[in-house]
Amino acid sequence: MFPTTNRSHVRALAAAVSFGLLIASTASTAGAATAIAPRVAGVQAAPSGTSPNGRQTRFIVRYRSGSAPMLSASSALSSARNALVRSGLTASRPGLSVRRVRRLATGADVIAVSKPLDAVATATLLRTLRADPAVAYVEADRRLYHTGSQHRYGPDLAPNDPVYGAYQWHYSHSVGGMYAPGAWDTATGTGVVVAVLDTGVVAHPDLDANLLPGYDFISDAFVSRRGSDARAAGAHDYGDWNDDPDACPVSDSSFHGTHTAGTVAEVTNNGIGLAGVAHNAKVLPVRVLGRCGGYTSDIADAIVWASGGTVAGVPANANPAEVINMSLGGEGACDATMQAAIDTAVANGTTVVVSGGNSNADAAGFSPASCNNVITVGATGIKGGKAFYSNYGTRIDLSAPGGNGQEGVPYGYVWQTGNDSLTSPELGSPVYVGMIGTSMAAPHVSATVALLQSVAKTPLAPAQVETTLKATARPFPVALPSGQPMGSGILNAKAALATLVPCQGADCEGNARALANRVPVKGLSGAAGSERLFAITVPLGATGLSFLTYGGTGDVTLLVRYGQTPIAGAVDVTSMRPGNNETARIAVTRAGTYYVKVVGTKAYTGVTLEARHY
């Protein structure tokens, strides 16, 4: 659902770092051999009800309870064959036949015709099947696609966990971030399982330790590249590249599932690479997308299985997930099959998080974004506004960082684990990749659900989770395009966790002393190393803000941050002159609360603090 904008590939990967992992940069950097052109693996939605090339081979039929086709596999096949004959398609297409593929966990049947049908023939067969009194509903088994686009660049920084502060703005930036560091004071996801329904995963030293054994639900050998239509244990990503334009648009492998899984639970505090949001949670990888996308029927079975439900022919899931992340979608309103699977998962107590889509359109026209009982996520950039590609509308529940692709490196992208191969992962190496899309926004939310569940005294019901996330989302700091709502606000993990475990200590925003415009606070004193927190709310229309200290004795430093407590390494403005005469100025590009921390560089007494906005 994200249009391909560039299919040229310049692969100039400069020197690898000590353990063979790469981080990238769009800009030409000192020591880099060449400036790298972006590599873009586009995501293109097929027309509603069709495969990527506009032809359809598979359909989902739900028979009525008590009907012969519902009770008997042979009767179901006979019913499908009779419908094919009645449609008249066999007369004009010699050799056209139909087979019954399997019964889904939702109770519907998947049938497949032997030759692809164009749009007219597909509509004819659907109409004929619907006319059967035994049929409750029938729909095309549509292919869905991941909702992220990948960009790869040459290496810049040697990876280690501190790089998350430089690259992963989406966690901590005061305007565009999700406020993850404040949430980590409370929870890291311990004991929670997050199922990532995606392209599967590849080996990566900064992710492997947090992966559970998964399952491959793709039931088409062309899509899976496994050489068999049978499903299989494990969730290895064989690559989703395609070089056959007759099958679907030509593209390179995305390793999209590895990226989304990294946002959820990349290993953290291990001295390498980047960080994951719920880095002590476990990811259950479930492969549902491959070459040219993935079938709705396979995704539906995977949803049921991931939540602990039963799927015929598949071993029971030993690790039912508290939350399912689906960074995927396609055009057309929510299918009955998809809705039934989601309803089953929610009944099993699993929260389902889905991406809103990347077509800059109303999410009501996309599935599963328009399904009920899901948390649908839109994408924002570092400036806190709607990402140019993000779907919008009343179906979007809240937004989260997805990258805007227009703020350069690293701030235009969401950074996570990946692989540098254009095709099979075995031909590449583990790297860190910048991507954009609602695909990237959704796992930020899923991981926050894991944080919540890890500290809840009793598991939160999916409806409780949704209510909490929407109620604690922070307001958009900039105006959204007219008529394009993006939900209740931007994900605020820190505030969401505070509903379960209230913040305590000097750095809690609730402990900040209020300042009034141009009203001095006099007589401040403190010891060396002491910290005092203040806040002022700046109205719409203000263009600048200054914090000043003056008078008294000693030495103070000012740390200023929008929206939350300034801490070392996470400030917007700093003033640290010798003595007490400090001025910290910040351009006001958004209304809201600004926090200033007065730090005793040395012991101080008799100091005055004043805030002025204009």
Side-chain angles (χ1 to χ4, degrees):
M1 297 188 332
F2 192 91
T4 300
T5 57
N6 185 342
R7 295 193 182 282
S8 66
H9 310 298
V10 182
R11 300 187 67 222
L13 297 174
V17 296
S18 59
F19 45 88
L21 303 182
L22 307 175
I23 269 193
S25 167
T26 49
S28 174
T29 58
T34 310
I36 304 303
R39 171 191 171 193
V40 181
V43 183
Q44 182 173 339
S48 176
T50 66
S51 61
N53 56 16
R55 295 173 291 176
Q56 189 68 40
T57 59
R58 301 192 355 167
F59 301 86
I60 301 172
V61 184
R62 175 64 188 248
Y63 296 103
R64 298 188 186 279
S65 298
S67 66
M70 177 60 86
L71 298 174
S72 164
S74 61
S75 180
L77 178 57
S78 177
S79 176
R81 286 172 173 169
N82 292 338
L84 188 63
V85 172
R86 292 197 309 275
S87 72
L89 295 174
T90 54
S92 58
R93 294 167 174 77
L96 182 66
S97 62
V98 65
R99 65 185 176 91
R100 179 179 181 270
V101 179
R102 68 177 183 279
R103 177 153 291 177
L104 298 178
T106 59
D109 282 15
V110 180
I111 62 173
V113 292
S114 58
K115 297 180 179 181
L117 303 180
D118 61 21
V120 173
T122 292
T124 298
L125 182 56
L126 286 170
R127 186 168 55 250
T128 305
L129 286 164
R130 288 178 182 132
D132 186 340
V135 172
Y137 67 80
V138 60
E139 55 197 17
D141 191 2
R142 296 187 290 164
R143 287 193 193 174
L144 304 183
Y145 315 90
H146 66 70
T147 51
S149 181
Q150 177 178 348
H151 301 242
R152 184 168 297 122
Y153 310 86
D156 183 16
L157 301 176
N160 51 64
D161 262 9
V163 175
Y164 98 83
Y167 267 64
Q168 292 183 298
W169 61 269
H170 36 105
Y171 290 173
S172 60
H173 193 271
S174 62
V175 180
M178 60 168 290
Y179 294 7
W184 292 335
D185 291 341
T186 302
T188 55
T190 302
V192 177
V193 175
V194 181
V196 175
L197 276 58
D198 214 300
T199 64
V201 292
V202 296
H204 197 293
D206 214 9
L207 181 61
D208 293 346
N210 278 344
L211 296 178
L212 295 168
Y215 212 84
D216 190 332
F217 273 81
I218 300 176
S219 61
D220 183 308
F222 174 82
V223 176
S224 72
R225 282 199 160 89
R226 285 184 285 100
S228 168
D229 288 345
R231 290 165 169 172
H236 178 65
D237 186 347
Y238 291 83
D240 58 356
W241 84 94
N242 178 59
D243 53 12
D244 180 1
D246 291 332
C248 65
V250 173
S251 64
D252 298 329
S253 286
S254 65
F255 304 108
H256 184 270
T258 302
H259 194 280
T260 55
T263 295
V264 172
E266 181 178 348
V267 180
T268 305
N269 297 320
N270 61 343
I272 64 172
L274 304 171
V277 175
H279 44 261
N280 283 332
K282 297 296 182 183
V283 168
L284 177 68
V286 185
R287 189 173 184 235
V288 296
L289 304 178
R291 177 165 44 179
C292 298
Y295 285 105
T296 296
S297 56
D298 289 337
I299 297 168
D301 272 354
I303 293 169
V304 173
W305 181 84
S307 70
T310 300
V311 177
V314 179
N317 177 11
N319 300 288
E322 284 89 344
V323 55
I324 290 173
N325 185 87
M326 289 196 291
S327 292
L328 51 83
E331 290 185 31
C334 184
D335 310 87
T337 300
M338 182 71 76
Q339 187 64 66
I342 290 168
D343 290 346
T344 299
V346 170
N348 290 338
T350 302
T351 300
V352 180
V353 178
V354 304
S355 56
N358 298 344
S359 297
N360 189 30
D362 194 325
F366 296 81
S367 178
S370 63
C371 293
N372 296 324
N373 294 329
V374 299
I375 300 174
T376 302
V377 185
T380 51
I382 193 170
K383 296 178 182 179
K386 174 186 175 296
F388 68 91
Y389 53 80
S390 181
N391 283 355
Y392 52 81
T394 57
R395 284 290 183 175
I396 301 294
D397 291 301
L398 78 163
S399 295
N404 209 27
Q406 299 171 340
E407 285 85 30
V409 170
Y411 302 122
Y413 309 97
V414 170
W415 294 88
Q416 265 307 336
T417 43
N419 186 285
D420 68 1
S421 174
L422 301 181
T423 54
S424 168
E426 286 71 28
L427 300 179
S429 301
V431 294
Y432 296 96
V433 176
M435 299 178 76
I436 63 173
T438 55
S439 275
M440 287 58 258
H444 287 84
V445 175
S446 294
T448 302
V449 177
L451 299 180
L452 286 168
Q453 296 289 24
S454 70
V455 297
K457 293 181 179 179
T458 58
L460 301 175
Q464 291 177 285
V465 170
E466 180 176 351
T467 297
T468 299
L469 293 178
K470 291 165 70 172
T472 57
R474 56 193 181 84
F476 294 99
V478 296
L480 298 179
S482 177
Q484 297 184 5
M486 292 284 288
S488 60
I490 301 175
L491 173 69
N492 186 338
K494 181 177 181 180
L497 267 293
T499 65
L500 299 180
V501 183
C503 181
Q504 299 178 354
D507 279 342
C508 295
E509 282 83 3
N511 294 332
R513 180 176 173 181
L515 297 174
N517 188 34
R518 301 180 183 273
V519 178
V521 176
K522 301 178 180 180
L524 298 179
S525 301
S530 63
E531 299 179 349
R532 301 186 66 170
L533 186 64
F534 300 82
I536 186 169
T537 300
V538 178
L540 285 170
T543 58
L545 172 66
S546 295
F547 292 99
L548 305 91
T549 57
Y550 48 86
T553 60
D555 191 355
V556 298
T557 293
L558 299 183
L559 308 178
V560 179
R561 194 178 188 191
Y562 173 80
Q564 58 180 320
T565 300
I567 57 176
V571 299
D572 295 334
V573 176
T574 301
S575 177
M576 48 191 306
R577 300 172 183 169
N580 291 333
N581 294 324
E582 306 286 337
T583 302
R585 297 185 178 91
I586 185 168
V588 174
T589 58
R590 54 215 174 264
T593 303
Y594 291 76
Y595 293 89
V596 59
K597 182 181 287 185
V598 179
V599 180
T601 307
K602 299 178 181 178
Y604 65 96
T605 186
V607 173
T608 297
L609 170 67
E610 186 176 346
R612 301 173 182 174
H613 57 74
Y614 40 88

